[in-house]
Amino acid sequence: MRAVEVVPCDVFITRPLSACRCFSSRRCGGEIKILLASVALFPERAHLVGAYSLGKAQRVIALIRAAGYDAPIYLHGAMEKITHYYESRGVALGDLRLVRGMKKADLAGTITLAPPIGHVDVWTRRFPDPVRRVCVGLDAGAVRGRASAASNCLW
């Protein structure tokens, strides 16, 4: 367990389930390996990962980088400002690019993070045969419907 560091701030945002044992961070590494194996197995397909813009997306990016993935990771425009803010505060997230302006063929074999709602709208049509996954780790719905949610979430 990591020590808690008190940091002065104007606004404090937290999620009450962050200490829930059913969302053990030990599972994350294995799930990232599955994602990266899928990218290697299906280089002709885009991999879309749904994650909340504040915190979850940046955590997923950091885990992907820690697993050795150094290719560009693409972002939905809704994640741009908050992710660049993390970087401005010293959080190294590697090569990040916006999906905006990319050609469909150029997104094959890539990983893109988008808000979970982004997976059900017209926006996903810009990707070649996308593989969709959603990070619902702190979503109470994942606790209630764990078996059904497990097939569509990273953790």
Side-chain angles (χ1 to χ4, degrees), residues 49-90:
V49 179
Y52 297 115
S53 298
L54 178 61
K56 179 66 81 173
Q58 295 77 25
R59 179 177 181 218
V60 171
I61 293 167
L63 288 167
I64 291 170
R65 297 299 186 204
Y69 186 83
D70 60 358
I73 295 175
Y74 290 85
L75 300 175
H76 183 282
M79 298 186 162
E80 180 181 15
K81 285 185 180 181
I82 190 68
T83 302
H84 288 311
Y85 177 77
Y86 271 77
E87 290 180 308
S88 76
R89 304 305 291 171

Side-chain angles (χ1 to χ4, degrees), residues 120-136:
V120 294
D121 72 6
V122 189
W123 184 80
T124 61
R125 293 182 190 165
R126 68 181 68 210
F127 296 93
D129 193 18
V131 176
R132 295 177 177 95
R133 304 301 274 177
V134 179
C135 299
V136 294

